[in-house]
Amino acid sequence: MTKNTLFAAIISALLMLGGCSKTSGVGGAAGDATPDTLKANQHFADTLKLDDRQDFDDAKHGFIARPTGKILADDGSVLTDFDAFNFEQGAAPPTVNPSLWRHAMLNAQIGLFKVTDGIYQLRGFDIANITLIEGKSGWIVVDTLTCRETAAAAMEFARKQLGDKPVSAIVFTHSHVDHFGGALGVVSPEEAARRKIPIVAPVGFMEEATSENVLVGTAMARRSMYQFGKNLERSPKGMVDTGLGKGVGYGHVGILAPTQLITQDTQDLTIDGVHFVFHNVPGAEAPSELTFMIPDKKAYGGAENLAQTMHNLLPIRGAKARDSLRWSEYMDQALEQTADAEVYFGQHNWPIWGHARIAEFITMHRDVYKYTHDQTVRLTNAGYTPREIADAIKLPKSLESYFGARGYYGDLRHNAKEVYQFYLGAYDGNPANLNPLPPQESAKHYLELIGGADKAVAAAQSAYDKGDYRWAAELLNQVVFGQPDHKGAKELLARTYDQMGYMSESATWRNSYLTAAAELRNGPPAKGVDKAAMLDMLAQTPVERFLEAMAASLDGPAAEGKDLKINLVLNDSKESFVLWIENAVLHYKKTAPAADANATLTVSKGMFVKLIAGKAGLKDALTSDDLKVDGSKIDLVRFFSLLDKATGTFAIVTK
C-alpha cells in the first residue's frame, strides 16, 4: 500500500466535515399569513401593551454611532449585514408575531453605546455584545463575540469613535462560543503573551468551552441552523431576530487561555485599576459562568444569566440540561449583590438604568424560573406527562405581562419539558413509549390505518383550513416520513410550518419552523458548518477531546470482533496515546507507545488538528515533515476506516 493510499483512507475517516448534494424538494416560496394566523397575531396585539416606549428609550440610550455595510468572511460570504434588518420599522407585518416584532425592533438598535461613565457596549455586530470598560491603560474587553471577523470589526469601529486605546485585559463571562470565539479578533495570542494581558474567566472555562464544540459539535451545529435561522432570508417572511440579538457570525472561531481564574463564590480582583467583584454562577445558563459588580461605577454585569427575554433551559440546538432552581437562586443572590447598582448591562440585548427597575428585572427573572420549576414539579407529581404539562402551564399575569422575561428566546412550554427531563428523564412513564417504533415505521402503519397518504393529506388540509396547524403538522409529518416522495404532503407541511412560524413569539421557534419549511421545499443544506473555521479554537483543545469524539464515531457493528491497537505520537506537544478496540469500543490512554501496537502514527498536533478540521488535505500531509507511519499500514487503514464521518447536513424534517 502506498503512502498516498494510506492517507486517502485516514483523511477520509478522520474528517468530521463533508458535503452532500441537496435532496429534491417541492419548490415554491413561503406563503402569506392566513386569516387564522392574522387572528392569532391580533390577539397578541390586543393583550399586550406594545406601545410601551420604556424599552425603546433604553435600547437607544447613550447612542454614539451606527455601523453600515457588511462584515465579510475570507471567502467573501456575508457574516453580518448591518442593513439587513432595516425593514424592521412601524407596525408588525402580517407574517410576524407583533410581540416578537417589537422585540426584533429593539434588538435592531445596533452600534456603539455609552452605558455609563467609562463603560461602553458594541451591539449588533454579532448575536452577543462586547462591553468595553475603561481602565488606566486601555480597554478591559468583556466577551469577544462568536468569531474573529465580527470582533475585529467591532473593535475597529469602537476605536474610530473612542480613540485608539490598547486592550489592557479580557474577561470571558462564560463558556459559550458566542462569548469567546472572537478572541483573536480582539488581540493576537502573540500580543497577549508579549504584553502579559490578563485574561480572566470562571473556573472550568477551558474545559467546558472546548468540550461542548467537539464531542457533539456536528449535531449541535446542524441544529443551530434551525435555532438561529442561519439560511433564512432576512425579511418579514424569514428571519427577523434570534431573541438574544440579530444574528450569529459563522466565521473563524478562536480562544485564548485564561491567565486568571475566578475560583471562589465571590472574588475581588483589580484589573487595570478597576475594582471588580466577581461571582461564580456555574450550572445555570452555562456550566462555567461569572457575573460581576463594579462598585465604583455602581454597575452590574449580568453576563447571560440575565437578558431581555426568558432564556432556554434546554436550547433547540441541544445542550446539557440546565438547573432552573439553581438559576432562580442565583437571581435571588443577585438582588443582594446589586443593592447599590444603578445600571445593569448584559452580554445580550440592552441595559437598564435605575435601582428600582434593576431590582424588578432581576425579581421577574428569578420568579419566572422558579415558577416554571415549581409548577412543572407539581404537575409531574400529579401524574402529568411532559406534553400535558407544556399545554397546561401558564405564567401568572404579573410575570406574563413583563416584556423583559417573555419567551423571545426560550419558551415556557419547552422549558417545562426540560424541568421534567432534568428530574425524570425524557421517558414519560407510559410503557408504550419504552420501545416505540422508529418514526418511519410507525408512519407507515399510521398511513395504512388511515387509508393511505392521500387521505391523511386531505384530513390535514381540513385541519389547516380550520387553523388547527398543530394537528395538521402531526398528520403531515406521518406522511412525509411514511411516504417521502409525496410532494403534496411536503408542500402542505411547509405551508403549515409557515403559519406556525408567523405566529411564534419565540424567535427560535419561528426560525425553526421557517427553516423546516424551507428544507421541505429545497432539501437540507449542501454544506454543514465549516469545522475549518474553528481551527484556532481546536488548536487549543486538549487531544483527549478529539479522541473522545473519535471513540464516539466508531461504527460499533463494523468493529465487532476487531482487535486493533494503534499508537498516536504527537511529536510537537510531546504527547503519546495508545488507542485500541476492545468489545467494539474504542479506548485510549495517555501513555508511552505500546510495543505490541499494530501501527504507530507520528504526527504533529497541528497537523492532526488540521486533518480533523479539514484544513489540511492530502497534498499538505504528504509534503509535511510532521508525519510518519511505522508498522502495518494495512492495519492503520483498517482502524481508521471504522470511524464514521458526520457531514453535518443530515435531514431533520425529511428522511
Side-chain angles (χ1 to χ4, degrees):
M1 177 175 292
T2 66
K3 190 175 184 183
N4 200 62
T5 306
L6 168 67
F7 273 98
I10 292 177
I11 291 171
S12 176
L14 277 177
L15 293 185
M16 301 292 183
L17 170 70
C20 68
S21 59
K22 290 184 177 182
T23 60
S24 60
V26 296
D32 296 326
T34 66
D36 290 291
T37 297
L38 294 174
K39 182 179 178 180
N41 284 344
Q42 187 62 47
H43 174 74
F44 273 85
D46 292 341
T47 56
L48 294 172
K49 295 181 180 179
L50 299 177
D51 58 349
D52 187 334
R53 302 303 299 177
Q54 181 64 65
D55 286 334
F56 287 92
D57 293 341
D58 288 343
K60 296 177 181 179
H61 185 106
F63 172 75
I64 296 174
R66 179 187 176 97
T68 59
K70 300 177 177 67
I71 302 174
L72 303 179
D74 293 342
D75 62 2
S77 60
V78 178
L79 298 176
T80 300
D81 183 345
F82 293 114
D83 302 317
F85 297 98
N86 287 348
F87 64 88
E88 293 179 351
Q89 301 178 43
T95 54
V96 183
N97 179 293
S99 180
L100 176 58
W101 182 255
R102 176 184 183 275
H103 189 74
M105 287 195 294
L106 289 163
N107 275 336
Q109 307 305 312
I110 65 174
L112 175 66
F113 298 81
K114 180 179 178 179
V115 177
T116 191
D117 288 344
I119 301 179
Y120 300 84
Q121 279 196 323
L122 293 143
R123 304 200 285 269
F125 287 78
D126 207 316
I127 189 173
N129 303 332
I130 283 181
T131 300
L132 300 176
I133 300 170
E134 193 169 14
K136 284 186 176 180
S137 63
W139 294 116
I140 302 166
V141 179
V142 181
D143 289 347
T144 59
L145 306 185
T146 310
C147 65
R148 182 188 68 206
E149 295 89 342
T150 56
M155 294 301 295
E156 180 182 5
F157 187 77
R159 287 187 169 107
K160 286 181 180 178
Q161 306 299 326
L162 303 175
D164 191 14
K165 295 182 180 181
V167 173
S168 59
I170 293 176
V171 175
F172 293 129
T173 63
H174 63 289
S175 54
H176 291 153
V177 69
D178 54 321
H179 296 265
F180 68 79
L184 304 191
V186 172
V187 64
S188 69
E190 295 77 16
E191 182 183 358
R194 176 174 53 81
R195 293 179 46 223
K196 298 182 179 179
I197 295 174
I199 301 171
V200 181
V203 64
F205 170 78
M206 282 297 285
E207 294 84 352
E208 297 295 344
T210 56
S211 66
E212 181 178 77
N213 294 287
V214 175
L215 191 60
V216 291
T218 301
M220 195 178 291
R222 172 70 174 110
R223 288 171 53 158
S224 80
M225 295 181 184
Y226 274 63
Q227 177 171 327
F228 297 120
K230 178 180 183 292
N231 296 328
L232 294 175
E233 67 174 8
R234 277 50 174 159
S235 77
K237 288 186 178 181
M239 190 270 210
V240 299
D241 206 67
T242 69
L244 290 177
K246 299 317 296 179
V248 177
Y250 284 88
H252 285 85
V253 175
I255 197 169
L256 290 170
T259 63
Q260 171 76 58
L261 290 177
I262 303 303
T263 58
Q264 303 171 30
D265 290 345
T266 296
Q267 187 170 334
D268 288 65
L269 189 65
T270 298
I271 306 172
D272 194 22
V274 179
H275 175 212
F276 287 78
V277 181
F278 288 106
H279 304 287
N280 260 316
V281 287
E285 193 277 329
S288 172
E289 188 154 1
L290 58 75
T291 58
F292 58 86
M293 271 290 297
I294 304 178
D296 293 343
K297 298 182 181 298
K298 295 187 176 182
Y300 177 69
E304 201 174 324
N305 268 1
L306 285 162
Q308 296 281 3
T309 171
M310 179 190 302
H311 214 292
N312 279 310
L313 296 180
L314 186 61
I316 290 172
R317 66 177 172 87
K320 296 177 181 178
R322 298 166 180 175
D323 189 337
S324 55
L325 186 57
R326 179 183 290 190
W327 203 325
S328 69
E329 291 169 350
Y330 287 147
M331 295 296 93
D332 206 43
Q333 295 168 15
L335 287 171
E336 298 180 11
Q337 294 160 0
T338 57
D340 296 326
E342 292 297 335
V343 60
Y344 148 83
F345 58 91
Q347 293 309 116
H348 290 283
N349 309 122
W350 56 94
I352 295 174
W353 290 264
H355 179 73
R357 292 184 58 225
I358 293 169
E360 179 189 36
F361 181 62
I362 296 172
T363 298
M364 290 298 183
H365 280 262
R366 177 196 67 181
D367 292 348
V368 162
Y369 299 125
K370 187 74 160 60
Y371 186 93
T372 304
H373 172 273
D374 292 353
Q375 296 309 305
T376 300
V377 170
R378 178 180 69 85
L379 293 170
T380 298
N381 285 329
Y384 289 85
T385 62
R387 291 171 64 175
E388 292 170 331
I389 294 170
D391 255 25
I393 194 167
K394 183 178 174 62
L395 291 175
K397 288 184 178 180
S398 58
L399 295 176
E400 187 181 50
S401 61
Y402 188 75
F403 281 114
R406 288 189 68 84
Y408 301 115
Y409 186 60
D411 183 274
L412 178 63
R413 293 158 292 183
H414 196 67
N415 283 350
K417 292 178 182 178
E418 186 278 344
V419 174
Y420 186 103
Q421 176 182 325
F422 187 85
Y423 288 110
L424 296 182
Y427 172 54
D428 63 3
N430 185 338
N433 297 321
L434 270 177
N435 190 30
L437 290 169
Q440 296 89 339
E441 292 303 312
S442 63
K444 292 174 183 176
H445 287 295
Y446 276 116
L447 293 184
E448 183 180 358
L449 182 65
I450 292 169
D454 290 341
K455 285 190 176 181
V457 172
Q461 181 68 63
S462 178
Y464 179 92
D465 293 339
K466 296 174 184 176
D468 192 356
Y469 302 126
R470 292 170 71 187
W471 177 235
E474 193 167 330
L475 278 171
L476 292 165
N477 189 60
Q478 300 290 347
V479 182
V480 170
F481 274 69
Q483 191 172 322
D485 59 348
H486 199 293
K487 291 185 177 180
K490 285 185 177 179
E491 175 54 35
L492 184 54
L493 183 54
R495 287 164 49 205
T496 301
Y497 284 148
D498 286 341
Q499 304 308 316
M500 297 174 83
Y502 297 162
M503 292 190 299
S504 294
E505 184 181 26
S506 167
T508 60
W509 283 36
R510 174 187 174 91
N511 292 338
S512 295
Y513 285 130
L514 298 185
T515 299
E519 292 191 4
L520 282 163
R521 293 182 170 111
N522 305 308
K527 184 180 180 182
V529 175
D530 190 354
K531 279 198 172 182
M534 298 177 67
L535 186 64
D536 290 327
M537 191 195 75
L538 295 178
Q540 300 294 323
T541 301
V543 176
E544 287 85 346
R545 301 293 84 77
F546 298 124
L547 300 182
E548 289 169 356
M550 287 173 63
S553 69
L554 182 74
D555 184 342
E560 186 173 1
K562 301 295 192 300
D563 181 15
L564 293 168
K565 183 180 291 186
I566 303 297
N567 292 324
L568 173 63
V569 178
L570 302 177
N571 54 17
D572 54 352
S573 63
K574 307 304 180 184
E575 298 173 283
S576 64
F577 299 84
V578 177
L579 289 66
W580 74 98
I581 296 174
E582 183 177 356
N583 297 318
V585 176
L586 175 55
H587 301 273
Y588 71 88
K589 181 177 293 185
K590 188 173 185 179
T591 186
D596 60 344
N598 298 75
T600 297
L601 174 63
T602 301
V603 64
S604 69
K605 181 184 177 183
M607 179 59 70
F608 182 68
V609 170
K610 287 181 180 179
L611 288 169
I612 290 175
K615 188 71 172 179
L618 181 59
K619 183 178 179 181
D620 300 306
L622 290 175
T623 58
S624 172
D625 294 329
D626 296 329
L627 189 144
K628 178 183 177 185
V629 178
D630 296 302
S632 172
K633 296 180 175 62
I634 293 176
D635 285 346
L636 188 61
V637 170
R638 289 172 59 209
F639 179 87
F640 282 110
S641 68
L642 294 171
L643 304 179
D644 282 341
K645 61 172 184 176
T647 65
T649 58
F650 53 81
I652 292 178
V653 291
T654 59
K655 290 294 181 182

